[in-house]
Amino acid sequence: DTAVSQTPKYLVTQMGNDKSIKCEQNLGHDTMYWYKQDSKKFLKIMFSYNNKELIINETVPNRFSPKSPDKAHLNLHINSLELGDSAVYFCASSQHGGGNTEAFFGQGTRLTVV
Amino acid sequence: GESVGLHLPTLSVQEGDNSIINCAYSNSASDYFIWYKQESGKGPQFIIDIRSNMDKRQGQRVTVLLNKTVKHLSLQIAATQPGDSAVYFCAEGLTGGGNKLTFGTGTQLKVEL
């Protein structure tokens, strides 16, 4: 059983297209995240949701819209894809509070915009 | 803005030797720190964490040291094995900050046989 699963694993698309990445966690966590990892391996948070409520939005372009239908799912929709959006996108989850610090990451979605 | 870590360096060690991976952080308000391991093609995996009220924490074959005076964090891996080859990231967080993690740029660890 995969704790945090995201689909697809690879996504190749043309500039200007709209695409979605899905994420699901079966850990019962109340907080989910999207991180972006660039070609230099730098990881940066994009969004954080707690119980379906957006709590962190790190100055991400409006073309990126996260959607959380329930606390086990956090999808990422990207409009009008640009070359600079090419990166690996990681979904993660954690249990907020209680002194827990560990975030569990999915396997990543490698997005290539051509 | 705040930043954590250095430019991505590479550390090469012989199998069986001890490895030390270093990280600098700049947000003095951060109250917990985490080391993650990322193998090729996979997501980051939690290794060990430490709270700011501690200066040392040990796990299985790993030790994290925290020096708040100079804002420095290190990960020591004992008896390094080929399976330890990966990119290692330090990350800092602030309780009440939405569990947001700020990651460093990572260190590539290569274990030579």
Side-chain angles (χ1 to χ4, degrees), chain A residues 15-42:
Chain A
M15 277 195 304
N17 283 350
D18 303 339
K19 290 294 178 185
S20 292
I21 308 171
K22 296 186 176 181
C23 179
E24 176 183 8
Q25 54 95 4
N26 62 7
L27 298 166
H29 289 165
D30 60 3
T31 305
M32 296 185 71
Y33 314 82
W34 278 108
Y35 282 83
K36 178 180 180 181
Q37 186 171 47
D38 63 21
S39 58
K40 296 180 180 178
K41 297 284 190 182
F42 186 67

Side-chain angles (χ1 to χ4, degrees), chain B residues 11 13-17 19 37-40 61 77-88 108-113:
Chain B
L11 175 65
V13 298
Q14 293 289 321
E15 183 181 4
D17 287 352
S19 302
K37 173 186 180 182
Q38 186 179 21
E39 296 176 280
S40 181
R61 280 202 307 119
I77 304 173
T80 312
Q81 302 168 0
D84 295 327
S85 294
V87 177
Y88 289 81
Q108 175 79 56
L109 176 64
K110 294 184 177 179
V111 182
E112 299 170 348
L113 303 176

Side-chain angles (χ1 to χ4, degrees), chain B residues 11-27:
Chain B
L11 175 65
S12 294
V13 298
Q14 293 289 321
E15 183 181 4
D17 287 352
N18 296 335
S19 302
I20 299 176
I21 301 171
N22 296 303
C23 174
Y25 67 94
S26 57
N27 187 354

Side-chain angles (χ1 to χ4, degrees), chain A residues 33 37 41 90 99 101 103, chain B residues 36 38 49 51 89 99-100:
Chain A
Y33 314 82
Q37 186 171 47
K41 297 284 190 182
F90 286 99
T101 65
Chain B
Y36 277 89
Q38 186 179 21
D49 64 353
R51 293 233 169 237
F89 293 93
N99 277 18
K100 165 188 168 182

Side-chain angles (χ1 to χ4, degrees), chain A residues 9 31 33 35 37 40-43 45 48 55-56 58 90 94-97 99-103 105-107, chain B residues 4 8 32 34 36 38 40-46 49 51 87 89 96-105:
Chain A
K9 186 170 173 64
T31 305
Y33 314 82
Y35 282 83
Q37 186 171 47
K40 296 180 180 178
K41 297 284 190 182
F42 186 67
L43 265 166
I45 191 167
S48 169
I55 56 174
I56 293 176
E58 286 289 302
F90 286 99
S94 68
Q95 185 60 34
H96 193 70
N100 294 319
T101 65
E102 183 174 357
F105 284 77
Q107 294 260 36
Chain B
V4 178
L8 182 63
Y32 65 90
I34 307 176
Y36 277 89
Q38 186 179 21
S40 181
K42 297 184 178 180
Q45 182 181 9
F46 177 95
D49 64 353
R51 293 233 169 237
V87 177
F89 293 93
N99 277 18
K100 165 188 168 182
L101 291 175
T102 301
F103 281 83
T105 50

